[in-house]
Amino acid sequence: MTTALTVETDPAQLCCEPSSQPVLNAVDAQESARVLKALSDPNRLRLLSIVKAGDGGEACVCDLTEPLDLGQPTVSHHLKILVDAGLLEREKRGTWAYYSLVPGALEAASARILGL
Amino acid sequence: MTTALTVETDPAQLCCEPSSQPVLNAVDAQESARVLKALSDPNRLRLLSIVKAGDGGEACVCDLTEPLDLGQPTVSHHLKILVDAGLLEREKRGTWAYYSLVPGALEAASARILGL
């Protein structure tokens, strides 16, 4: 009886109807978080901004180390994360790799936030 | 002489003009990364979606634990991160805390991506 009384007066029972389910399902939430995580680093944001502003919407990897004052391995690490997240694409031409934005990728990432 | 020749033929010197500076400066990049980091977790995205869909654009904290099947301390931890990032605001009314979206915050976060 004491236990039953405790449950009946538990404040959690007096609050309000819980929402049935989150609007965003677990799978979509994982995918959105994956893309947004790639964007959640200041150096990666700056790399994207350089690529976006580059001639023809691309930048040579040789252009990406000096402005950020980072070492080549660190820049390569960040670029790989951006490629893996589907934000940048990489093309090797001769000695150098060139990076460009995946068309529509930033818009899609932005829409993941607005569409919550 | 040998050293000078090596520098002159270093492929890094033959590539292209480096961009002068990133379009996104370091301070703005830090601030954008801070907000996007708060958004880069699937549970936090789902919490935001529940709050956004709630009656009157708000949700009682008592509504936020059950749908995600997370413990109260974990939910509180995620909610604090969202409040600290300026995405949610918290109002205590009686027994319960109510969370609502900070007006314009998701739009501003989205614009940080589009504006890169």
Side-chain angles (χ1 to χ4, degrees):
Chain A
M1 288 296 286
T2 307
T3 305
L5 188 63
T6 304
V7 169
E8 279 164 16
T9 57
D10 178 353
Q13 307 300 318
L14 303 174
C15 167
C16 36
E17 280 300 299
S19 305
S20 54
Q21 286 297 317
V23 175
L24 186 66
N25 69 49
V27 174
D28 288 344
Q30 284 284 356
E31 181 56 21
S32 290
R34 194 179 71 84
V35 175
L36 293 170
K37 188 158 189 168
L39 290 164
S40 69
D41 176 276
N43 286 317
R44 290 198 288 275
L45 292 173
R46 299 181 87 195
L47 286 170
L48 286 170
S49 79
I50 300 172
V51 169
K52 188 176 179 182
D55 283 346
E58 69 174 16
C60 172
V61 68
C62 59
D63 279 349
L64 296 173
T65 49
E66 194 237 11
L68 268 60
D69 202 20
L70 295 174
Q72 173 73 45
T74 304
V75 169
S76 294
H77 167 74
H78 286 309
L79 289 169
K80 181 174 188 320
I81 290 172
L82 292 168
V83 169
D84 289 347
L87 295 163
L88 283 185
E89 50 197 8
R90 176 183 188 276
E91 189 189 353
K92 191 92 189 291
R93 295 205 297 272
T95 309
W96 299 103
Y98 290 78
Y99 290 86
S100 56
L101 291 178
V102 171
L106 292 183
E107 291 76 4
S110 165
R112 289 181 182 276
I113 297 175
L114 286 181
L116 280 175
Chain B
M1 288 295 287
T2 307
T3 304
L5 186 64
T6 304
V7 169
E8 281 165 15
T9 59
D10 178 353
Q13 307 298 318
L14 302 174
C15 166
C16 36
E17 279 300 299
S19 305
S20 54
Q21 286 297 317
V23 175
L24 186 66
N25 69 48
V27 173
D28 288 343
Q30 283 284 355
E31 180 57 19
S32 290
R34 194 179 70 85
V35 175
L36 294 169
K37 188 160 188 165
L39 290 165
S40 70
D41 177 276
N43 286 316
R44 290 199 287 276
L45 292 173
R46 299 181 85 195
L47 287 169
L48 287 169
S49 80
I50 300 172
V51 169
K52 188 176 179 183
D55 282 346
E58 69 174 15
C60 172
V61 68
C62 59
D63 279 349
L64 296 173
T65 49
E66 195 237 9
L68 268 59
D69 201 20
L70 295 175
Q72 174 73 45
T74 304
V75 169
S76 295
H77 166 75
H78 286 310
L79 289 169
K80 182 175 187 318
I81 290 172
L82 292 168
V83 170
D84 289 348
L87 295 164
L88 285 185
E89 50 197 9
R90 177 184 187 274
E91 190 189 353
K92 191 88 189 289
R93 293 204 299 271
T95 309
W96 300 105
Y98 291 78
Y99 290 85
S100 56
L101 291 179
V102 170
L106 291 183
E107 291 77 3
S110 163
R112 288 180 182 278
I113 297 175
L114 286 181
L116 280 174

